[in-house]
């Protein structure tokens, strides 16, 4: 187990900056997920921690030791690649043993570790097969197996589940979480899927365009997003964003009328999560609209409502709600559930 | 039959240039040479059937035949591996990502186009002449070069160098093969603590094996058939002291200097069988060292 510290880490490709000075502290034994849209630099950041990519500026330390100039093989870490990167001409057993024999580990120790990993991942009967004879899920297990036989102080995962089908992805997610609980090793996990991030992470770091937008527990990110980007990136379906005008003691929200708010005057954005928009309950702040689409998910229903001014909001209703296209409905929300952002998109804590 | 002809006439008409070429210029001479190899034939008089006599003579009494085999085998065994190693080395250097790689590729490929020509063979003869460029350069650093072309100990080496210099086409094929190896395998190996040598033998070589095999077979066949360089540099005779008596040069001499067409045909068929044998052996061993990514099993 090891902590990882990034300070002022930058990356530029021939003068073009892609990572703009990131400070990040990963505690020992933590499961940190780096999440962000594609091109945000999360994989680059992971590869820099791995030692596969040089850093342009700043320092990276693992277990309180600066590793800037240390090759990947000496950082005592394992990495699982999106493509699995299994050696195609080697059997599963050799794939697992390759790194260990490069470290000149005694044969019986290699054998023990391979057998242990195979048992944990239930791939014992696959050991003599070649990667091409494995299914996607089995390849994934072998790739994880290759990472755990090293018994490293740090695991890195680069979108390991994105090549799997939806069902398998959910299953592997559970297994990875189980593996984390079992090993307790520090893990850094890159994904663009916020559901994966929310379900597995002890903390999440949200990246956007090479900047760290926010880092916190899934709960903090969901309930107190620091800015508009995090607010709309975390949570599925997305938070509804309404633009309004603050006048000092209230906000004028088109459709909903006035909302009490003490703060500076100016352009504002008010965010309301779909589950906080209630339908049909009479309240001081109500907006009238027409149902344009109904998504039935069984336990809940997502209802798309077009307001009179043309903007579409998404509301969540219980699974037994019976709305249909064309219905006229009223939407309302509690002020306490709303998130407020200033004209720069930064969160404003509403005075309660 | 008539109906078949009528229906397919246009198709065969369009095929006719190829059909005429194939049967008249390829299959015809091939079969004729097989027949001639069992005859005594000097172009002037009609062929005279002698059965397997040429073949018996070749293996039992013909010392020049044995010398030709020895020269050719030496050339193949040395030049082919050297050329492949050189081609792979240059391909790996280019694969590292160099500026203006297109120019380098063209530059390195150029000898492959020119190298087989008579002109380059003549140029080579000039370069390796006792008073040629190679010895002039050597004398600058105080080495007195040997009689490259007149000394039987050195003559074959000038041809091996000429062959290795034509590494362009296997290099291009290697380059394409290297490009096809996924980069993340090297990254996984990097994390798995594999050094450059280990990466080369554990990843590059096995994943490149189909390409290495292809180049090996192709270059081997080409080396067995190699003719023009040896012919020009040895003055058409295999001199000095038969040290450049390539199989093809011997065959040419028998056919066109001594007009022993029957014997030359027999030699040609023996060369074909030797090439076939080597190719079969190569394919047979490939089961043990060539890994195909898409192979079912």
């Amino acid at each position: 187990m090891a902590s990882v510290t990034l300070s002022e880490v930058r990356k530029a490709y021939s003068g073009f900056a892609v990572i703009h000075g990131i400070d990040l502290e990963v505690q020992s034994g933590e499961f940190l997920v780096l999440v962000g849209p594609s091109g945000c630099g999360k994989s680059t950041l992971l590869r820099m921690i791995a030692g596969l990519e040089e850093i342009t500026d700043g320092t990276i330390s693992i277990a309180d030791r600066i590793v800037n100039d240390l090759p990947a093989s000496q950082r005592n870490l394992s990495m699982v690649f999106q493509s699995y990167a299994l050696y195609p001409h080697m059997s599963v057993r050799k794939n697992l043993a390759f790194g260990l024999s490069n470290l000149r580990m005694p044969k019986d120790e290699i054998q023990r570790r391979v057998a242990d990993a195979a048992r944990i991942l239930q791939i014992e009967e696959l050991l003599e097969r070649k990667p091409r004879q494995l299914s996607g899920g089995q390849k994934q297990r072998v790739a994880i197996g290759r990472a755990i036989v090293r018994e490293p102080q740090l695991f890195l995962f680069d979108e390991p589940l994105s090549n799997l089908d939806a069902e398998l992805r959910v299953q592997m997610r559970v297994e990875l979480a189980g593996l984390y609980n079992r090993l307790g090793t520090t893990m850094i996990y890159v994904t663009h899927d916020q559901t994966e991030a929310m379900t597995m992470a002890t903390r999440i770091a949200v990246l956007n365009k090479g900047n760290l937008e926010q880092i916190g527990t899934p709960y903090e990110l969901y309930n107190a997003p620091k800015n508009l980007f995090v607010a709309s990136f975390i949570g599925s379906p997305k938070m509804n964003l309404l633009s309004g005008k603050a006048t000092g003691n209230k906000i004028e929200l088109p459709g909903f009328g006035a909302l009490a708010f003490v703060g500076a005057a100016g352009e504002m954005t008010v965010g309301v999560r779909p589950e906080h928009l209630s339908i049909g309950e009479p309240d001081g702040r109500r907006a009238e609209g027409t149902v344009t689409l109904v998504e039935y998910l069984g336990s809940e229903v997502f209802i798309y409502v077009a307001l009179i001014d043309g903007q579409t909001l998404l509301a969540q209703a219980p699974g037994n709600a019976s709305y249909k296209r064309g219905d006229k409905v009223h939407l309302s929300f509690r002020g306490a559930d709303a998130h407020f952002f200033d004209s720069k998109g930064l969160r404003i804590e509403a005075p309660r | 039959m008539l109906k078949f002809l009528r229906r397919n006439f246009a198709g065969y008409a369009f095929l006719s240039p190829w059909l005429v070429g194939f049967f008249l210029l390829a299959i015809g001479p091939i079969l004729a040479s097989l027949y001639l190899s069992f005859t005594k034939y000097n172009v002037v008089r009609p062929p005279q059937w002698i059965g397997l006599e040429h073949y018996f003579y070749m293996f039992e009494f013909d010392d020049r035949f044995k010398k030709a085999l020895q020269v050719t085998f030496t050339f193949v065994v040395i030049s082919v591996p050297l050329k492949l190693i050189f081609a792979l080395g240059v391909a790996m250097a280019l694969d590292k990502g160099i500026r203006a790689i297109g120019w380098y590729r063209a530059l390195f490929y150029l000898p492959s186009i020119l190298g087989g020509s008579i002109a380059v063979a003549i140029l080579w003869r000039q370069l390796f002449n006792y008073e040629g460029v190679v010895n002039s350069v050597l004398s600058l650093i105080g080495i007195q070069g040997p009689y490259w072309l007149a000394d039987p100990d050195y003559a074959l080496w000038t041809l091996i160098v000429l062959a290795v210099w034509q590494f362009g086409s296997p290099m291009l094929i290697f380059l394409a093969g290297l490009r096809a190896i996924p980069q993340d395998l090297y990254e996984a190996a990097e994390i798995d603590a594999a050094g450059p040598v280990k990466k080369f033998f554990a990843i590059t070589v096995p994943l490149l094996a189909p390409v290495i095999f292809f180049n090996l077979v192709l270059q081997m066949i080409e080396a067995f058939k190699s003719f023009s360089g040896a012919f020009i540099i040895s003055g058409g005779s295999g001199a000095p002291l038969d040290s450049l008596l390539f199989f093809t040069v011997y065959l040419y001499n028998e056919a066109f200097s001594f007009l022993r067409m029957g014997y030359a045909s027999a030699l040609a068929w023996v060369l074909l069988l030797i090439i076939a044998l080597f190719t079969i052996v190569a394919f047979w061993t490939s089961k043990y060292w060539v890994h195909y990514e898409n192979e079912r099993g």
Side-chain angles (χ1 to χ4, degrees):
Chain A
M1 284 206 277
S3 60
V4 179
T5 310
L6 277 63
S7 71
E8 275 296 300
V9 170
R10 289 170 197 278
K11 177 74 187 176
Y13 292 103
S14 45
F16 182 76
V18 291
I19 302 275
H20 312 281
I22 285 192
D23 293 301
L24 185 64
E25 184 97 31
V26 187
Q27 280 131 34
S28 182
E30 187 170 28
F31 195 134
L32 181 91
V33 174
L34 295 173
V35 71
S38 52
C40 70
K42 55 191 188 297
S43 281
T44 308
L45 199 61
L46 190 78
R47 292 165 54 81
M48 291 197 292
I49 297 171
L52 297 174
E53 201 88 57
E54 278 186 26
I55 63 176
T56 310
D57 203 2
T59 55
I60 296 179
S61 27
I62 300 176
D64 301 322
R65 176 176 170 212
I66 292 176
V67 295
N68 284 16
D69 299 318
L70 215 56
S73 57
Q74 286 172 35
R75 296 189 181 191
N76 193 9
L77 48 81
S78 291
M79 182 159 169
V80 177
F81 293 82
Q82 180 176 3
S83 64
Y84 316 135
L86 300 179
Y87 309 120
H89 53 292
M90 296 183 197
S91 65
V92 169
R93 183 188 298 282
K94 285 194 178 143
N95 262 284
L96 295 182
F98 184 68
L100 302 182
S101 62
N102 289 339
L103 294 171
R104 303 190 193 289
M105 199 170 275
K107 280 232 165 61
D108 50 340
E109 175 67 6
I110 295 179
Q111 214 159 23
R112 185 189 67 75
R113 288 198 186 189
V114 169
D116 278 357
R119 190 170 37 74
I120 292 172
L121 296 163
Q122 296 161 0
I123 51 172
E124 286 152 303
E125 70 281 18
L126 307 176
L127 282 176
E128 304 314 322
R129 292 207 201 160
K130 294 272 175 70
R132 62 169 180 273
Q133 298 163 308
L134 304 177
S135 68
Q138 290 169 332
K139 282 183 194 167
Q140 179 64 73
R141 280 164 201 274
V142 176
I144 294 169
R146 193 171 60 183
I148 66 177
V149 288
R150 289 282 299 277
E151 297 178 5
Q153 55 178 351
L154 173 64
F155 281 105
L156 304 177
F157 295 90
D158 189 6
E159 308 218 17
L161 305 185
S162 56
N163 284 352
L164 300 176
D165 62 52
E167 197 184 336
L168 208 51
R169 199 178 310 160
V170 174
Q171 187 193 331
M172 287 307 293
R173 212 164 72 195
V174 174
E175 289 191 21
L176 272 177
L179 192 71
Y180 168 64
N181 289 333
R182 179 179 184 140
L183 302 174
T185 314
T186 315
M187 298 192 174
I188 303 179
Y189 186 109
V190 160
T191 181
H192 61 268
D193 180 346
Q194 64 90 30
T195 314
E196 259 173 46
M198 293 291 280
T199 50
M200 292 195 288
T202 52
R203 279 198 308 161
I204 299 176
V206 182
L207 290 169
N208 183 33
K209 294 179 183 157
N211 291 305
L212 183 60
E213 298 280 351
Q214 186 173 1
I215 179 162
T217 64
Y219 184 89
E220 285 164 1
L221 261 57
Y222 191 79
N223 294 296
K226 253 165 92 175
N227 54 40
L228 272 176
F229 179 80
V230 177
S232 59
F233 192 80
I234 297 290
S236 175
K238 275 183 193 280
M239 181 186 277
N240 294 296
L241 298 173
L242 303 152
S243 34
K245 225 180 204 100
T247 56
N249 56 3
K250 62 184 195 308
I251 302 173
E252 285 293 342
L253 276 184
F256 285 91
L259 182 63
F261 178 83
V262 181
E267 298 289 330
M268 295 275 298
T269 304
V270 176
V272 185
R273 297 224 178 258
E275 66 267 28
H276 296 141
L277 265 187
S278 41
I279 305 174
E281 284 161 36
D283 189 286
R285 290 178 306 279
R286 298 201 311 169
E288 196 184 331
T290 313
V291 175
T292 57
L293 182 68
V294 178
E295 286 179 338
Y296 179 70
L297 269 82
S299 60
E300 71 247 337
V301 186
F302 293 126
I303 297 156
Y304 292 77
V305 179
L307 299 187
I308 296 166
D309 68 349
Q311 99 175 288
T312 298
L313 300 185
L314 177 59
Q316 184 181 333
N320 56 10
S322 57
Y323 296 100
K324 57 184 190 301
R325 237 188 104 203
D327 282 356
K328 296 267 182 239
V329 292
H330 287 93
L331 296 175
S332 62
F333 62 90
R334 296 192 307 137
D337 292 329
H339 303 264
F340 300 95
F341 302 96
D342 66 14
S343 58
K344 291 191 186 101
L346 297 176
R347 180 181 186 82
I348 303 168
E349 280 306 330
R352 310 258 174 216
Chain B
M1 185 65 195
L2 246 159
K3 204 173 155 194
F4 173 83
L5 267 183
R6 204 175 304 142
R7 193 182 299 159
N8 295 308
F9 177 76
Y12 282 101
F14 278 114
L15 266 179
S16 61
W18 184 84
L19 285 175
V20 169
F22 183 66
F23 283 103
L24 221 66
L25 301 176
I27 288 285
I30 287 171
L31 291 178
S33 81
L34 181 62
Y35 164 72
L36 288 176
S37 75
F38 300 117
T39 66
K40 215 172 170 167
Y41 178 49
N42 65 359
V43 187
V44 184
R45 273 189 241 145
Q48 190 186 341
W49 184 267
I50 53 166
L52 290 171
E53 209 170 289
H54 283 323
Y55 293 93
F56 286 133
Y57 173 79
M58 199 185 298
F59 285 97
E60 285 192 22
F61 304 108
D62 190 350
D63 288 337
R64 284 198 95 200
F65 165 74
K66 279 163 203 156
K67 179 71 188 169
L69 277 185
Q70 187 215 323
V71 170
T72 307
F73 281 142
T74 313
F75 177 73
V76 171
V77 167
I78 297 173
S79 77
V80 171
L82 272 184
K83 188 182 197 171
L84 293 185
I85 290 168
F86 201 64
L88 181 57
V90 175
M92 285 177 69
L94 287 186
D95 191 42
K96 291 266 178 255
I98 301 176
R99 256 176 240 212
I101 185 175
W103 285 101
Y104 284 104
R105 268 198 313 237
L107 203 65
F108 288 135
Y109 188 62
L110 212 58
S112 289
I113 306 168
L114 302 174
S117 71
I118 302 294
V120 167
I122 291 172
L123 176 74
W124 217 252
R125 204 167 60 182
Q126 302 303 326
L127 286 177
F128 282 97
N129 223 329
Y130 186 61
E131 278 153 13
V133 176
V134 172
N135 278 355
S136 308
V137 172
L138 285 178
S139 73
L140 287 181
I141 51 172
I143 299 173
Q144 179 54 55
Y147 287 88
W148 292 103
L149 302 172
D151 187 332
D153 289 340
Y154 293 104
L156 189 58
W157 286 99
T158 64
L159 278 165
I160 288 171
V161 172
L162 176 62
V164 173
W165 180 58
Q166 297 163 46
F167 65 93
S169 64
M171 180 207 72
L172 280 190
I173 297 169
F174 277 138
L175 198 54
L178 288 171
R179 289 281 159 94
I181 299 176
Q183 200 53 39
D184 50 14
L185 290 182
Y186 289 107
E187 294 182 344
E190 175 85 37
I191 288 177
D192 270 343
V197 176
K198 183 86 186 189
K199 276 188 214 159
F200 177 74
F201 285 107
I203 294 178
T204 308
V205 170
L207 291 184
L208 207 58
V211 176
I212 296 174
F213 175 66
F214 175 82
N215 271 336
L216 175 72
V217 170
L218 228 62
Q219 293 304 322
M220 195 178 68
I221 293 173
E222 197 175 296
F224 269 117
K225 295 190 330 190
S226 135
F227 172 71
S228 55
F231 183 77
I232 297 295
I233 287 172
S234 73
S237 66
L241 285 176
D242 282 352
S243 63
L244 293 185
L245 189 69
F246 279 50
F247 201 97
T248 49
V249 172
Y250 182 47
L251 191 159
Y252 179 91
N253 273 321
E254 287 296 311
F256 300 105
S257 305
F258 309 123
L259 290 182
R260 292 196 278 256
M261 287 295 173
Y263 193 59
S265 297
L267 286 171
W269 276 88
V270 167
L271 181 60
L272 175 74
L273 291 178
I274 289 170
I275 292 175
L277 190 74
F278 270 73
T279 310
I280 289 166
V281 169
F283 268 92
W284 180 75
T285 61
S286 76
K287 276 193 299 202
Y288 300 100
W289 62 276
V290 179
H291 158 87
Y292 289 97
E293 176 61 8
N294 300 320
E295 192 178 45
R296 297 269 154 250

